[in-house]
Amino acid sequence: MRFALTVIAAMMLALAACGGGEPAEEAGGGETAADTAAADIAEADVPVPEPEELPEDPAEAAAEPVLGPQSSWSMTMGELSLALEDDSVTGEYPLGTLRGTIDDRVVTFDYVEGDLTGTGMLQFDRTFQNFTGYQVMGEDTLEWVGERL
């Protein structure tokens, strides 16, 4: 943000130097509108966010873990445990099991709960910390909401 304000102040100074701003005071080093704006910007107490620290070594960046659905989750139906192998997802929860595939951040699955079978879907957020989804039970749909444990 401070960089953007500095750029704006520099543009105002350039505009004033070209005669596009308020007229400068008589030769004697008077202050222009651009000078005043630049000073106001510099004095503003605007928090500047720190840049994210990025790994300097590309190998170090590649070594960072990539999260996915494989984990234990606290969800609507109790605790859900998901495992991932390639694009195949398997899971267990208190009432049954599921088996499906993942594409990007979406798991589509078939489930078995005793004699009941059906389909469902889980949509994970971009950080794989939460999901929303559903389970189709005949003509009913049960919402699933979960967060990583």
Side-chain angles (χ1 to χ4, degrees), residues 11-22 32-34:
M11 289 175 23
M12 291 174 65
L13 286 172
L15 182 63
C18 295
E22 293 181 13
T32 66

Side-chain angles (χ1 to χ4, degrees), residues 69 73 82 102-109 120-134 144-146:
W73 301 86
L82 293 178
I102 186 166
D103 183 15
D104 192 23
R105 296 183 328 258
V106 177
V107 172
T108 53
F109 62 88
M121 184 275 304
L122 302 175
Q123 169 73 52
F124 292 86
D125 67 4
R126 66 178 181 77
T127 62
F128 280 93
Q129 296 300 311
N130 299 284
F131 69 77
T132 58
Y134 60 86
W144 285 19
V145 177

Side-chain angles (χ1 to χ4, degrees), residues 92-103:
E92 294 182 10
Y93 54 101
L95 298 177
T97 60
L98 62 85
R99 180 175 308 279
T101 58
I102 186 166
D103 183 15

Side-chain angles (χ1 to χ4, degrees), residues 35-132:
D35 293 333
T36 303
D40 289 345
I41 290 169
E43 290 177 16
D45 188 23
V46 178
V48 177
E50 294 294 322
E52 291 183 31
E53 289 195 28
L54 300 175
E56 292 181 25
D57 180 6
E60 182 181 332
E64 291 181 4
V66 176
L67 292 179
Q70 65 279 10
S71 186
S72 292
W73 301 86
S74 173
M75 69 152 203
T76 314
M77 306 288 288
E79 188 172 324
L80 169 66
S81 177
L82 293 178
L84 176 68
E85 185 173 328
D86 298 321
D87 67 345
S88 295
V89 178
T90 56
E92 294 182 10
Y93 54 101
L95 298 177
T97 60
L98 62 85
R99 180 175 308 279
T101 58
I102 186 166
D103 183 15
D104 192 23
R105 296 183 328 258
V106 177
V107 172
T108 53
F109 62 88
D110 295 317
Y111 70 87
V112 176
E113 291 181 2
D115 292 338
L116 297 174
T117 61
T119 61
M121 184 275 304
L122 302 175
Q123 169 73 52
F124 292 86
D125 67 4
R126 66 178 181 77
T127 62
F128 280 93
Q129 296 300 311
N130 299 284
F131 69 77
T132 58

